[in-house]
Each structure stands twice: as structure tokens, then as C-alpha cells.
Amino acid sequence: MSTAQPSPPRRTRPVTRARKRLSRTVGTIVTTIGVLSTAVTCGIGEAYSGGVPAVDAVLGVSLVVMILTGVVGAIWASVVLIGQAAVRIPRRRRLRTWAAGVGWDWFAKGKHIPARQASTASACQPVLALNSDKRARFSELLTGQYRGRTALSFHFERGSGYLLEVEQIIALRLRNVLPPVSLVDRAEDDVFTGQQVRFESAAFNHHWRVDAEDPRYASAFTHPRLMELLNHADDSVIEIHLRGDHLVSHAPTNLTPQLLETHLRVLAEIDDGIPEWVWREYAGTTSVRAKRT
């Protein structure tokens, strides 16, 4: 009688990721309750002239809930903003010192980022529906060379208050444009999401989701060495996206030089491992390594 092997545990979620998710959850709940209570209060107030005890009670409760959600929302937004300010100064100091030591350019504020780097950052920004109508803000941009490739890192914000979307993006430029593909840690899934392609590594299938329009391309891009790399990657590596000619990684927002180098190394190894036939078929190019042999 055979017994099924238990699934390995999910990769450990760093505290910063859990905190970010909690912030978004609380913000969404408070906003939803606040909008509903405001709608009920305003709707009843416009059409109701008074005199019905039950309606008066509903109106009173809605008014109290509306005020409480406003107060809670303001307090939570203040907590989020104070928390961000508390880590911003030491983070910037560490990154500025690291940039000076390795010869990278450093731009603390968005208004100081040159147009070319700002355009690249915009192309690498997260593609999410949340707050998509809000203007993205970039800051703390680092850019330079890593293993012969152009790399950059920047702090990204979109939205406001307790619905503020905050990300730390690290990107490495490829030699040419390839179709989009995403590799996402399943620990980031709020609801388990299946995928079209199943890979030979059971551990990889359990821990990672691969999204691409063409299953053949997804299978070719996600070769055994890449699966082995991600199966043993640092827990801070949670999302890898190929957008145009950039490999993009989502890093902890409280970025350190050590984490930056960790993510750059993973991105460079992914680039090194892309099969030559993938470049020929999907990008129409031959890499420098192939030309030298």
C-alpha cells in the first residue's frame, strides 16, 4: 500500500512581505466599510425626513461607522507613513554609500532622475490593477554595470494613504527583447492559481508559478538549471518578470546592499542560462557567448 508524500512547506515569507499584505488588507477593509457607510448615510439623509425609529437607528449607526472608519483610516495611514519614514533615512544612507563604492549613479529624489533612466524605470514598474489610475512615483534610483550588463534599482510608489502601493524594483537589461514571462512565488498567491505548464521538478511546481502566453516558450525559458536556481534562491526573491529587454525582480522595500547584490546575481544567472535557441527563435539574435565560440 503506497502512501502519498506530503507536500513540502511553502517558502518562508519575510516579515516585510507579511506587513505589506496586512497593510493592504486593513486599508481595503476600512475603505470598503467607509464607502458603504457613507453611501447609506448620504442616501438615507437625502430621502428621509425623520419620524421612523428604525430608520433613525440605521442612520445613526451608519453615521457612527462612517466617522469611525474615517478616524481609523487616518490613524492607519499615519502609522504607514511614519513607518516608511523611519526606514527611509538609514536605507538611503546605506545605498548611497554602496553606490559610491562601486561607481554606480545614485538619485535620491524622483525629480533628479534623468529622463532616460526615468523612462527605463517606467517600463519596469509593476503591472497591477490596484491604483492603476494613480501617477507612479520613482525615487532612490541606482544604476550602473553588473557583470557587463546595465542594471538599475528604484523605489516605487503608487496611490496614497493606507492604499499606497510600495515596491522595490531591481532590473537587469538583456541583450534583446523577449516575450513576457513571469515567475511568481506561490506564497504570494492570495488564492492558489494553477498554470498551463507542469515541469519535471515537483518542488518547483509546488513553490513557483510560471505565466506566459505561449506554453512552449514558458517551458523553454524555465529550463532545469533555472528551476534549480529558484528552488534554492534567497527567500526575498519572490517575483521575476521579463518585460521587454529587462529582467525585473521585486525585492524587500527595506533594501540593503546585500539584498541588492543577491537579486542582481539571480537575474544575471537567469540571463546566462537562457538557451541559445530561445534567443534565435523568439528574439532573432545570437548572444555574445555564441559569437565567441
Side-chain angles (χ1 to χ4, degrees):
M1 180 177 177
S2 61
T3 57
Q5 293 294 324
S7 297
R10 296 286 186 219
R11 300 197 320 146
T12 302
R13 179 183 292 111
V15 174
T16 52
R17 289 155 63 185
R19 187 186 305 123
K20 181 173 67 174
R21 182 168 294 184
L22 173 63
S23 176
R24 290 179 178 176
T25 301
V26 171
T28 301
I29 293 173
V30 171
T31 300
T32 302
I33 295 175
V35 169
L36 290 175
S37 60
T38 301
V40 171
T41 302
C42 294
I44 294 177
E46 290 181 1
Y48 177 61
S49 57
V52 181
V55 178
D56 289 338
V58 171
L59 184 61
V61 171
S62 298
L63 182 61
V64 171
V65 171
M66 183 179 69
I67 295 172
L68 286 178
T69 53
V71 172
V72 171
I75 293 174
W76 186 253
S78 299
V79 170
V80 171
L81 293 174
I82 292 172
Q84 290 176 348
V87 300
R88 182 180 295 119
I89 294 176
R91 180 181 66 221
R92 289 187 173 187
R93 185 183 301 116
R94 292 192 301 262
L95 295 177
R96 182 175 62 248
T97 302
W98 180 87
V102 299
W104 279 35
D105 294 323
W106 161 255
F107 306 96
K109 299 181 179 179
K111 62 182 179 181
H112 296 153
I113 299 174
R116 182 176 179 181
Q117 281 78 10
S119 177
T120 301
S122 181
C124 296
Q125 68 178 309
V127 181
L128 297 173
L130 178 64
N131 293 323
S132 58
D133 60 330
K134 302 293 185 179
R135 184 176 63 87
R137 299 181 293 278
F138 307 97
S139 62
E140 302 175 24
L141 187 140
L142 289 154
T143 183
Q145 292 294 306
Y146 183 80
R147 297 188 184 180
R149 307 164 176 89
T150 301
L152 76 156
S153 169
F154 59 89
H155 192 74
F156 170 87
E157 293 184 0
R158 183 165 53 195
S160 60
Y162 46 82
L163 289 181
L164 183 66
E165 177 189 345
V166 182
E167 298 283 354
Q168 182 69 42
I169 301 299
I170 299 171
L172 199 69
R173 188 171 185 180
L174 304 179
R175 63 191 73 113
N176 208 329
V177 175
L178 282 172
V181 62
S182 296
L183 303 104
V184 181
D185 183 350
R186 289 193 182 278
E188 293 298 294
D189 285 347
D190 293 316
V191 178
F192 182 82
T193 305
Q195 62 186 12
Q196 294 174 288
V197 184
R198 302 294 292 178
F199 301 93
E200 55 267 34
S201 170
F204 183 83
N205 289 328
H206 182 75
H207 291 302
W208 293 91
R209 187 185 82 239
V210 180
D211 297 319
E213 288 188 5
D214 181 358
R216 180 172 175 265
Y217 170 66
S219 180
F221 188 89
T222 315
H223 51 83
R225 280 193 298 163
L226 174 57
M227 289 186 276
E228 184 71 11
L229 172 66
L230 291 182
N231 280 342
H232 295 90
D234 186 83
D235 285 338
S236 67
V237 180
I238 58 172
E239 290 186 47
I240 303 290
H241 301 278
L242 199 165
R243 299 191 181 115
D245 60 349
H246 280 85
L247 273 172
V248 178
S249 178
H250 289 225
T253 52
N254 191 15
L255 188 67
T256 65
Q258 293 75 21
L259 281 173
L260 174 57
E261 292 180 355
T262 294
H263 284 248
L264 288 172
R265 177 185 57 79
V266 170
L267 294 177
E269 291 185 13
I270 292 175
D271 181 23
D272 287 339
I274 298 175
E276 293 301 330
W277 75 266
V278 171
W279 286 110
R280 290 192 298 268
E281 180 163 341
Y282 291 95
T285 186
T286 304
S287 75
V288 173
R289 296 194 307 277
K291 291 179 180 180
R292 289 176 178 172
T293 58

